[in-house]
Amino acid sequence: MYRISASRTALHSKSVVVLIVLYFSVYVTDCLYITAETGAKAVLPCACINSSFLITWQRKETIVYHENMAEIASQYYNRTQLQGSSCSLILSPVHASDEGAYTCFYESSTFFYEHVTLLVTANFSTACTSSSGMYHCEARQGHPEAKIVWRLNDQPLSLSPLVSQSKLDQLTGLYDITSSVNITVNGTVTCEVINSRLARIITECVNGIGPGLQMALRASWDVLLTSLACTALLVLFIMVAVWVVKCLEGTQVSPRAFCVAWVHLHNRR
């Protein structure tokens, strides 16, 4: 616990500013870390033993809990309450966007505020499909952001994915992650979803073309067809250029004279 000498502390809300003039010490507790899963209930502890001492719970400038419900921010309205007669905060249901640092302000014989950091987790839903050496892994609606690692016979593979994407759903705060690779070696292929807070998820790939694999295959075909089309146009241009030069040689007209005449004709149009 840290002791900080202070004369005043300002607490901000959306519509009011509470100014507390103090002639004693302010106490700040060490920051605690609480982990909760999306959809579950999180209890953010506060050492205040009597709720009558509580002033407010805040997340930066956002009012999370206040005895005057009109002061509570809309994203926390009807989702926060105190635990019994204590000052500990119950947040339910937990959203991915709730992750962050919270502060409990209360006054007893002295003025206190305590910091609590909420860490949010959400298990990914995974699937892996394959067809003709193309493997596609999907990890959807999880938190925090994870990465996909490919394995062959339980050994990690050093491959550059053909398709790799991580997308944040701004509405839910959850991540969708996809990865596609081309593996021609026989064996058991698995994709592993690695997350800093959750247990690793290992999914074995099954034969079959799912929507994600279809998209990866379509992207690969698009790249191939574009390359073929560019090559064909280049070859056609070279053939035309050679034909024009041979025609000019047969008519005793130099290529330079032909180009000058063509430019002149183009300008007249």
Side-chain angles (χ1 to χ4, degrees), residues 136-140 148 163-166 176-180:
H136 181 77
C137 183
E138 298 179 353
R140 299 197 176 277
I148 292 176
V163 178
S164 181
Q165 185 180 37
S166 178
D176 290 335
I177 303 169
T178 59
S179 179
S180 299

Side-chain angles (χ1 to χ4, degrees), residues 191-254:
C191 68
E192 180 180 10
V193 180
I194 300 178
N195 183 292
S196 59
R197 298 176 198 160
L198 300 171
R200 295 184 176 186
I201 304 173
I202 299 177
T203 305
E204 183 173 345
C205 298
V206 297
N207 189 41
I209 301 179
L213 184 56
Q214 288 179 347
M215 186 179 299
L217 289 172
R218 190 179 302 115
S220 299
W221 273 110
D222 288 344
V223 173
L224 178 60
L225 291 175
T226 301
S227 300
L228 290 175
C230 291
T231 303
L233 287 174
L234 180 60
V235 171
L236 181 60
F237 175 79
I238 294 173
M239 292 176 63
V240 171
V242 171
W243 177 80
V244 169
V245 170
K246 287 185 176 181
C247 290
L248 293 176
E249 290 176 350
T251 58
Q252 303 299 317
V253 178
S254 68

Side-chain angles (χ1 to χ4, degrees), residues 71-147:
E71 297 296 329
I72 300 176
S74 59
Q75 62 266 38
Y76 291 101
Y77 197 78
N78 285 334
R79 289 202 299 131
T80 57
Q81 65 183 65
L82 298 183
Q83 186 180 46
S85 60
S86 72
C87 297
S88 296
L89 182 72
I90 297 176
L91 175 60
S92 179
V94 172
H95 299 165
S97 57
D98 292 332
E99 182 166 288
Y102 294 77
T103 305
C104 169
F105 295 92
Y106 65 97
E107 183 180 5
S108 182
S109 58
T110 58
F111 182 78
F112 292 83
Y113 60 96
E114 299 183 14
H115 299 301
V116 181
T117 297
L118 177 63
L119 303 176
V120 180
T121 63
N123 286 309
F124 284 90
S125 174
T126 61
C128 185
T129 54
S130 66
S131 178
S132 302
M134 177 71 77
Y135 293 82
H136 181 77
C137 183
E138 298 179 353
R140 299 197 176 277
Q141 296 296 286
H143 188 87
E145 187 177 10
K147 66 177 182 179

